[in-house]
Amino acid sequence: MSRGDKNETGVSEFLLLGITRDPGQRQVLFWFFLCMYLVTVVGNTLIIVVISSDPRLHTPMYFFLTNLSFVDLCFTTNLIPKLLANHVAGTWTITYPHCLTQMYFLISFANVDTFLLAAMALDRYVAICKPLQYCTIITPRLCAGLAALVWVSSGLISLVHTLLMSRLTFCSWAREISHFYCDAYLLMKMACSDTRVNQCVFLGAVVLFVAPCVLIVISYVQIAGAVLRIPSATGRRKALSTCSSHLSVVTLFYGTVLGIYIRPPDSFSAQDTVATIMYTVVTPMLNPFIYSLRNKDMKEAVRRLLHRSPKSS
């Protein structure tokens, strides 16, 4: 009997197979994910608190960094607590509404991430290539408008995906998701109904996802040209130091994401889980370290905050 001939029914819940079925390995992974989640929460919260409390950091670059830390915090909170709860309860099911909700926020936060990284690249481009016009181009009003556009457009894009996914029919036997969260690719692959509209929209989403990456590449090509024209080696190092943290985050994020999702849904395999963990868990955890350890202003702001705290208490 063909897939289309099987009995189609409304599925009330899915089974998340996770990363491994071995009980011993799952115990190790529980503590692994718990530690990484706590580090992510503490690190990104610290970034937000430090930037918010230090007037010296109230600049466009750190405004976007605050948004990036907040979305990274939301991104992991959307995934990891459910994974940890499943480990504690010993059950790996997720209800259909919860699955769609998780997918909605996953797509939304991923889009916010990409758009923010592009906005930060634009900020660095203007700062290095057009320094005299920086204050007139990158204004607080422009930054607030860009941030609002990023969050609203990302939510709307994700809403379209979620509504299209909600119209699909899943077979009674198609309940197992070979992942630790509800992935849109795998859900489309499991559907018994026609997914051509979903796949077309998903292709459009891939274009929207890659477009910020292209903008980032163009920005850094222009930045590289401007830096090479700086006569002194000290000046070149100073210019590059303002971009190194952002470039590291972009490379880590896009390097893992593009390797997984720029492929047809049928080619998605369980081996991609490691790369998925990199961009869903590891990257949000590393971002605070990248921006604090490689940024002199951030390190000084953290020290000022720590020295001020005992006095205020």
Side-chain angles (χ1 to χ4, degrees), residues 168-231:
L168 297 181
T169 304
F170 296 91
C171 302
S172 56
W173 51 268
R175 296 180 60 246
E176 294 185 348
I177 301 176
S178 56
H179 227 318
F180 61 92
Y181 63 86
C182 286
D183 183 86
Y185 258 177
L186 297 181
L187 286 175
M188 279 195 296
K189 188 177 177 181
M190 292 162 52
C192 289
S193 54
D194 188 2
T195 61
R196 283 177 296 182
V197 175
N198 295 71
Q199 291 191 31
C200 288
V201 173
F202 208 94
L203 181 61
V206 170
V207 174
L208 283 175
F209 193 82
V210 174
C213 183
V214 174
L215 178 61
I216 291 170
V217 171
I218 294 173
S219 298
Y220 273 103
V221 168
Q222 297 293 323
I223 289 172
V227 170
L228 289 175
R229 289 192 295 270
I230 297 176

Side-chain angles (χ1 to χ4, degrees), residues 96-150:
Y96 180 67
H98 189 177
C99 185
L100 289 182
T101 303
Q102 188 182 71
M103 189 193 73
Y104 168 81
F105 285 112
L106 177 67
I107 296 174
S108 179
F109 294 145
N111 279 314
V112 171
D113 243 325
T114 59
F115 294 149
L116 282 176
L117 289 174
M120 295 171 79
L122 177 64
D123 173 79
R124 292 299 84 205
Y125 162 74
V126 177
I128 293 174
C129 299
K130 300 182 178 181
L132 298 179
Q133 304 173 47
Y134 181 80
C135 292
T136 57
I137 296 176
I138 308 297
T139 61
R141 184 176 180 179
L142 176 65
C143 293
L146 279 176
L149 180 62
V150 163

Side-chain angles (χ1 to χ4, degrees), residues 68-107:
L68 185 66
S69 293
F70 179 70
V71 74
D72 283 343
L73 193 59
C74 297
F75 194 90
T76 52
T77 301
N78 181 46
L79 301 177
I80 304 305
K82 175 60 179 175
L83 176 65
L84 297 176
N86 285 348
H87 275 83
V88 172
T91 178
W92 309 101
T93 59
I94 183 170
T95 63
Y96 180 67
H98 189 177
C99 185
L100 289 182
T101 303
Q102 188 182 71
M103 189 193 73
Y104 168 81
F105 285 112
L106 177 67
I107 296 174

Side-chain angles (χ1 to χ4, degrees), residues 41-59:
V41 171
V42 172
N44 284 287
T45 302
L46 181 62
I47 291 287
I48 295 171
V49 170
V50 167
I51 293 175
S52 301
S53 61
D54 196 325
R56 299 177 184 86
L57 300 182
H58 292 177
T59 63

Side-chain angles (χ1 to χ4, degrees), residues 292-304:
S292 59
L293 296 178
R294 303 184 66 175
N295 189 304
K296 182 180 177 182
D297 293 335
M298 280 297 301
K299 287 189 286 188
E300 291 178 352
V302 170
R303 280 196 291 267
R304 284 194 295 268

